[in-house]
Amino acid sequence: MSVATEPAGPAAGLATLALRLLALDPAGSVLVLRAPPGPGRDQALRFLGAVLDARPQRRCPVGIDEDRLLGGLDLTASLSAGRPMVARGLLAECDGGVLVVPGAERLGGRLAALLAAALDGGEVTVERDGVSRVSPAAIGLVLLDEGIDEAPPDCLLDRAAFLIDPASLASAGALPEVSLGSLRSARAQLASVRTSAAVREALCATALAFGIASLRAPLLALRAARGIAALDRRRETTLADAEQAAMLVLAHRATRLPEQPAEASPELPTPSAGEAEQTGSEEALTAGEATTRVLEAARAALPPDLLAALTAAAARRASAAAGRDGSARPSVRGRRVGSLPGRPGEGRRLDLPGSLRAAALWQTLRRRQAARDGAKVRDGLIVRPGDLRVLRCEQPRRTTTIFVVDASGSAALNRMAEAKGAVETLLSECYRRRDRVALIGFRGEGAELLLPPTGALARARRCLAALPGGGGTPIAAGLDAAGALACRLRSRGDTPLIVLLTDGRANVARDGTRDRGRAQADAEASASVLRGAGIAALLIDISPRPQSLAQRLCAAMGGRFAALPQGGQAVGAAVRAAVAA
């Protein structure tokens, strides 16, 4: 007997089943809702709140302070009570329930690591400000992924059992009613559900066939299969449970298509006679046949855009490996992430709440000592120099990519459309890393800043599409404008990167005269200035064949060289490789 009738449509049925499994056993479970805000996502969260059966459901903003997340010394309560009082953090408040994280694609590495530790350990440890406390925090996690070209941190995606598209729920209409009594019975029965060796081997073989390297994947699929059996009031998992579990857990993790049928796998043993009796309807199946059924079920649930998703994931990993992933660095300015002992001054700012918390721990002892010494004790805190704390801040590592685009007549003849396609690819890479972009176009007798540094990807694309072409090629003017902008950005703490797209054939000198020899000398001189300033640069040759003039210009800049290849996919691959290098 099922807990609820499935809504129309296989996708909606799987999505609803994932929500029920999360509510059945939330501790350590992760579910990803990949969609922008809308009716489907709201409907999924309302359904989850209904089936949680009075278990807590909290929201965790991506910019939450560690004190609020983990807990710590409650300054107000400590001063009132005269002894250290510990405040519970958000993780402890959500014990036994589900934590919802909106905008999960923007989670920082530190916060993601803290959430992953709570998922694995089921508890949160606070050891700072003179207090030590371990609180239970058996939480489930719902990641609201609103990104298009980005995704939540890998450490959380590796723990994510379910990934659903709320659009399928919105198209299915009203979700079914849930019997909370049946759900409570399923929770009580979950621990006693048994799993045969055939089911375990089928899930492991399916994960291997789809190229899933993480060992968590088959374990999460096995947990889902046991949950499905408990929801149907059974004490033994079946192959049908394994098929649904593979569709829910393994399909969205696939990194390749199976190379050969699973029944050809010789390493999987046939279940023993005793195990065959335990599997009920699967008693006549060999391990290879069981794997084939599970594998085909997972294959049917593969995302239609699997290859595109794998390409995007590879680009994210390459970007992160390049060290330009928007991570934060210690700073005296930026977002507050904690405090350190020390005195303010030389750019360090006083952390007044942290200082008061440090002093509050010693008030009783200090007042007694003052009374013994015969000193007059006044109302208020007794603060010592050792109590002072200074702010510990983090400032994002932000790179501003300055696109310097040759819009002259020769460039228009030499695949200007493909050059714009390369810039489009780079814009997507910059957006994933939260970099800012700027656009400078040069043609005729000078250069123009078409787009000041901005993080608005759509605005940059519109400006690029409207870039006109024709006229002379004043490369020196374009490099001078890019160098001036890069120096201003570096003085503000940004890291500038100049990406120059040109065929290298300058014909307009710095003073505006049309003299090819002087124009080429001026261009190389401007490039040498960039090299002397230590500004990183990349030159993409947009001519049909790589030109020696462009290579000489790149050498003068001290940058990297890439020739624009034929084909859009090759363009994107060349640009990503050049940026990652």
Side-chain angles (χ1 to χ4, degrees):
M1 177 180 177
S2 298
V3 174
T5 304
E6 302 292 357
L14 287 175
T16 307
L17 179 58
L19 293 170
R20 292 161 57 201
L21 290 172
L22 178 64
L24 175 69
D25 185 20
S29 296
V30 180
L31 179 144
V32 180
L33 289 175
R34 180 160 291 172
R41 201 176 80 174
D42 295 340
Q43 191 175 18
L45 294 177
R46 285 196 301 270
F47 181 81
L48 180 61
V51 296
L52 277 175
D53 189 16
R55 296 189 176 208
Q57 181 177 351
R58 302 283 191 274
R59 286 201 169 229
C60 175
V62 294
I64 189 172
D65 186 84
E66 286 188 22
D67 291 338
R68 176 65 185 114
L69 182 69
L70 305 177
L73 184 68
D74 188 330
L75 178 59
T76 303
S78 299
L79 294 177
S80 301
R83 58 186 179 87
M85 301 293 291
V86 181
R88 298 178 70 201
L90 185 60
L91 292 177
E93 293 175 1
C94 200
D95 179 42
V98 171
L99 194 64
V100 180
V101 184
E105 74 280 0
R106 301 192 302 272
L107 273 174
R110 169 69 176 170
L111 181 56
L114 294 175
L115 293 175
L119 289 168
D120 293 344
E123 62 183 23
V124 57
T125 302
V126 179
E127 291 183 343
R128 64 176 186 272
D129 295 331
V131 298
S132 178
R133 181 174 179 175
V134 178
S135 303
I139 64 167
L141 208 59
V142 175
L143 303 177
L144 305 183
D145 180 9
E146 304 170 7
I148 300 175
D149 295 326
E150 52 191 344
D154 289 340
C155 65
L156 296 181
L157 288 181
D158 187 44
R159 293 164 171 80
F162 315 114
L163 189 153
I164 64 177
D165 183 0
S168 61
L169 299 176
S171 62
L175 296 182
E177 296 292 333
V178 177
S179 171
L180 295 182
S182 299
L183 193 58
R184 296 187 188 107
S185 299
R187 288 195 186 107
Q189 187 173 322
L190 181 60
S192 61
V193 174
R194 299 185 301 273
T195 307
S196 66
V199 168
R200 295 194 297 268
E201 291 166 358
L203 291 174
C204 291
T206 300
L208 182 63
F210 282 110
I212 302 173
S214 173
L215 296 179
R216 285 191 176 93
L219 293 175
L220 292 172
L222 179 61
R223 179 179 179 179
R226 295 177 66 246
I228 294 170
L231 287 174
D232 284 341
R233 307 295 295 276
R234 289 183 278 103
R235 296 185 178 276
E236 182 102 23
T237 58
T238 65
L239 272 181
D241 300 333
E243 291 172 5
Q244 285 188 300
M247 295 170 72
L248 282 171
V249 180
L250 301 181
H252 69 85
R253 293 170 171 262
T255 62
R256 70 179 183 217
L257 294 176
E259 298 179 357
Q260 60 182 6
E263 59 265 27
S265 302
E267 67 276 12
L268 296 177
T270 302
S272 64
E275 292 170 341
E277 292 177 359
Q278 291 179 352
T279 58
S281 62
E282 289 81 38
E283 59 184 356
L285 294 177
T286 65
E289 292 169 339
T291 301
T292 299
R293 283 182 49 179
V294 175
L295 184 60
E296 290 305 315
R299 188 198 297 267
L302 285 176
D305 56 346
L306 176 63
L307 294 180
L310 295 179
T311 302
R316 285 194 298 270
R317 288 192 296 270
S319 176
R324 301 172 62 244
D325 57 349
S327 59
R329 63 179 184 270
S331 173
V332 297
R333 297 180 297 175
R335 185 173 67 88
R336 177 186 182 277
V337 295
S339 60
L340 295 170
R343 297 191 178 189
E346 299 180 357
R348 295 176 296 181
R349 294 179 293 164
L350 175 67
D351 179 11
L352 182 58
S355 302
L356 295 178
R357 280 196 296 268
L361 296 172
W362 305 98
Q363 293 309 298
T364 302
L365 181 61
R366 289 174 181 175
R367 290 181 184 280
R368 290 176 182 172
Q369 184 177 0
R372 286 197 303 267
D373 295 341
K376 184 178 180 180
V377 180
R378 298 180 179 178
D379 294 336
L381 288 175
I382 303 176
V383 181
R384 304 283 172 79
D387 299 330
L388 296 180
R389 299 291 187 269
V390 293
L391 289 175
R392 181 166 63 93
C393 302
E394 283 184 350
Q395 195 172 31
R397 295 184 182 272
R398 186 174 62 183
T399 299
T400 300
T401 303
I402 306 171
F403 296 102
V404 187
V405 182
D406 184 349
S408 64
S410 61
L413 294 174
N414 292 335
R415 298 185 293 164
M416 187 60 184
E418 289 192 28
K420 290 184 177 182
V423 177
E424 284 271 357
T425 303
L426 269 176
L427 286 174
S428 298
E429 296 291 334
C430 294
Y431 180 73
R432 275 192 288 269
R433 295 190 304 269
R434 286 293 183 267
D435 289 352
R436 296 196 305 170
V437 296
L439 179 62
I440 294 175
F442 60 91
R443 58 190 287 266
E445 297 182 356
E448 180 183 2
L449 178 62
L450 302 173
L451 180 67
T454 179
L457 180 64
R459 182 184 174 193
R461 283 175 171 167
R462 288 195 302 268
C463 186
L464 177 66
L467 179 63
T473 312
I475 296 180
L479 291 179
D480 290 342
L485 178 58
C487 291
R488 291 198 302 270
L489 292 171
R490 192 159 60 179
S491 67
R492 300 171 187 170
D494 283 13
T495 301
L497 169 66
I498 294 177
V499 178
L500 174 63
L501 290 93
T502 182
D503 56 9
R505 293 183 292 179
N507 57 20
V508 177
R510 186 179 283 113
D511 59 3
T513 59
R514 288 182 174 267
D515 185 323
R516 191 174 297 275
R518 286 183 55 195
Q520 202 67 41
D522 287 349
E524 293 181 8
S526 298
S528 300
V529 173
L530 297 180
R531 181 173 187 172
I535 299 173
L538 165 68
L539 189 148
I540 300 178
D541 188 351
I542 63 174
S543 59
R545 296 176 182 175
Q547 299 290 316
S548 59
L549 292 177
Q551 293 176 356
R552 282 174 49 189
L553 186 63
C554 183
M557 282 197 304
R560 297 184 178 273
F561 179 85
L564 192 67
Q566 296 284 348
Q569 292 182 352
V571 169
V575 171
R576 282 193 295 271
V579 173

